Amino acid sequence: MSTATAAKPSAAPKKTGRRKLTWPWILLIVAAGLVLFSLVRVISGADDLTSVGQVSGALQLAVPIGLAGLGGLWSERAGVVNIGLEGMMILGTWFGAWAGYQWGPWVGVLFGLIGGAIGGLLHAIITVTFNVNHIVSGVAINILAAGFTMYLSNFTFGEAEGGSSKQSPRIDQITQITIPGLSDWLQDLQQKHWFLISDIAGILGGLVTNLSLLTVVAILLIPATWWVLWRTAFGLRLRSCGENPVAAESLGVNVYKYKYIAVTASGALAGLGGAFLAIVATGIYQEGQTGGRGYIGLAAMIFGNWMPGGMALGAGLFGFTDSLKLRGGAENVHALLLLVALLLVLAAAWQLYKKKYVPAVVSAVFAVGFFLWYALTDEVPSQFVDAAPYVTTLLVLALSAQRLRMPKADGLPYRKGQGK
């Protein structure tokens, strides 16, 4: 009997999870997206959709969102939910502008980092040491940051030459880079409005024209974060605190220390995003200028499944949608109706292929609705243009919710020694 049992082969393990995307598939999806986008541009006549100016503006709007999302990623990978990103961005805008107009833009960047880090440190003290609910702490920091900066502005910017109680004096700009020759050639190519070729030229041209040095730094922080968190012993310990802090502590990891480092770094990155808004995007501090970008950055991080690359993609999507209203907004957003309709047709076809008939019918019905909306109107209402970034945020989160996997201990209370 024992021999028969021993000879019995073990059951094959069941395949679980989704198939991992490889680089060839990712490149194929990107290429298909470019073709679809170019098709929409040609049909709609909205040639500004992929212009150099549009892409450059989208990148500038995506950077603060991406930095806030990157900050949220650091915090939540260590197990601390950071709803306070908006408040930390506010601190970054104020401290960055306050130091920037007096001592130069790079000093402003440094103070923006420090201001955001102070907010992150406060969040760490409240949530890690005192074990307060993470959501409550984050909301409190958002409220405190808004009130604190309003109070400081009254006797700093209000008494400064060129400033007021609601905005700072003008800040000197950080050096911008344009690659001579290449930038002009790509812009000329984009203006010919050729199918696909001009679209690729417009995207590349936006990446080499009037590029702030701080933008370059922000972009480099994305692969740097991936390398630190996924390729170093430090990153492994930090991520273990967000997955299973009790097990991490049993292996000698100082969980409190890593949570403090992660949440403080999270605040610094959000503060850098705020400093970018004040110094690069507008050149002045204005009350309320973050405009909810901290929350959108958090949404970009969730859309990216708590990974730097996915977060960057989400930030780019939200930044692009936000930039539409600045350059021919009604026409460009109207063209996006056609893009959404085509995407829904593809989704319906895919659901039919997977033999999921109810989702296929729902997608097809919505596709018809968007086609009719596009065909029967010449432009969308201005209110919808203003709401487009926020509508995009909600739609993307709703559609991507099924594939998300947050760190297992994210937001859960933890006390030192609780596993003993």
Side-chain angles (χ1 to χ4, degrees):
M1 187 71 177
S2 60
T3 306
T5 304
K8 185 178 179 179
S10 59
K14 293 182 179 180
K15 292 183 179 179
T16 57
R18 297 175 182 268
R19 182 177 296 177
K20 187 176 181 180
L21 286 176
T22 59
W23 274 109
W25 275 107
I26 293 173
L27 293 175
L28 185 62
I29 292 171
V30 170
L34 284 172
V35 170
L36 187 62
F37 216 91
S38 184
L39 182 65
V40 168
R41 178 186 62 79
V42 171
I43 295 174
S44 66
D47 293 324
D48 199 45
L49 272 178
T50 54
S51 67
V52 171
Q54 176 72 47
V55 175
S56 180
L59 181 61
Q60 189 175 88
L61 290 167
V63 166
I65 294 172
L67 287 170
L70 206 59
L73 188 147
W74 272 81
S75 179
E76 300 210 8
R77 278 293 175 179
V80 179
V81 175
N82 195 352
I83 297 293
L85 290 169
E86 177 75 6
M88 295 166 200
M89 283 192 80
I90 292 172
L91 292 173
T93 58
W94 192 91
F95 280 99
W98 175 74
Y101 87 88
Q102 297 181 88
W103 303 304
W106 286 110
V107 177
V109 169
L110 177 61
F111 271 75
L113 279 165
I114 294 172
I118 291 171
L121 180 61
L122 179 61
H123 187 50
I125 292 171
I126 296 171
T127 57
V128 178
T129 301
F130 293 103
N131 217 18
V132 174
N133 182 278
H134 300 186
I135 306 298
V136 173
S137 173
V139 172
I141 287 173
N142 291 338
I143 297 171
L144 286 172
F148 183 59
T149 52
M150 287 173 62
Y151 170 73
L152 291 177
S153 296
N154 287 327
F155 61 86
T156 50
F157 299 148
E159 297 178 359
E161 184 179 354
S164 70
S165 61
K166 294 186 180 295
Q167 73 176 44
S168 71
R170 184 145 299 271
I171 308 164
D172 293 335
Q173 282 290 308
I174 290 176
T175 304
Q176 294 184 332
I177 303 171
T178 297
I179 299 178
L182 179 61
S183 175
D184 295 334
W185 178 67
L186 289 171
Q187 191 159 5
D188 291 340
L189 195 59
Q190 177 263 314
Q191 290 174 350
K192 295 183 183 297
H193 306 311
W194 293 338
F195 179 78
L196 190 59
I197 295 174
S198 292
D199 299 284
I200 296 173
I203 293 170
L204 295 177
L207 300 177
V208 298
T209 305
N210 296 329
L211 194 65
S212 169
L213 286 177
L214 189 56
T215 301
V216 177
V217 172
I219 293 173
L220 291 176
L221 283 172
I222 296 170
T225 292
W226 173 82
W227 183 81
V228 170
L229 293 185
W230 274 269
R231 286 295 181 268
T232 66
F234 168 83
L236 178 61
R237 296 188 188 102
L238 187 146
R239 288 186 294 116
S240 70
C241 296
E243 294 291 342
N244 194 331
V246 174
E249 185 185 22
S250 69
L251 295 174
V253 176
N254 188 333
V255 176
Y256 275 20
K257 182 182 79 171
Y258 280 92
K259 284 180 179 287
Y260 263 86
I261 291 172
V263 181
T264 304
S266 171
L269 287 165
L272 180 60
F276 184 95
L277 275 174
I279 297 170
V280 177
T282 60
I284 55 173
Y285 163 83
Q286 293 176 309
E287 188 178 303
Q289 73 185 131
T290 54
R293 287 178 176 84
Y295 298 110
I296 298 178
L298 193 65
M301 179 209 66
I302 296 171
F303 165 77
N305 207 10
W306 288 265
M307 295 292 290
M311 183 282 306
L313 182 63
L317 174 63
F318 301 137
F320 178 79
T321 311
D322 201 12
S323 70
L324 291 177
K325 66 183 181 183
L326 302 179
R327 296 175 59 90
E331 181 184 3
N332 290 337
V333 175
H334 182 254
L336 284 188
L337 297 177
L338 179 59
L339 177 64
V340 172
L342 291 174
L343 288 173
L344 286 170
V345 169
L346 293 175
W350 176 253
Q351 296 293 351
L352 282 175
Y353 172 75
K354 302 288 286 185
K355 297 182 178 179
K356 297 180 179 179
Y357 300 112
V358 174
V361 171
V362 172
S363 298
V365 169
F366 275 97
V368 171
F370 275 100
F371 271 126
L372 290 174
W373 189 1
Y374 173 78
L376 298 177
T377 58
D378 293 325
E379 61 180 35
V380 295
S382 60
Q383 296 87 347
F384 186 81
V385 175
D386 293 335
Y390 307 101
V391 173
T392 302
T393 303
L394 293 173
L395 287 176
V396 165
L397 288 178
L399 293 174
S400 62
Q402 293 182 350
R403 66 173 183 82
L404 300 179
R405 182 206 171 275
M406 65 190 299
K408 290 182 180 178
D410 192 17
L412 299 180
Y414 168 77
R415 282 291 184 187
K416 190 173 182 179
Q418 73 178 38
K420 295 181 180 179

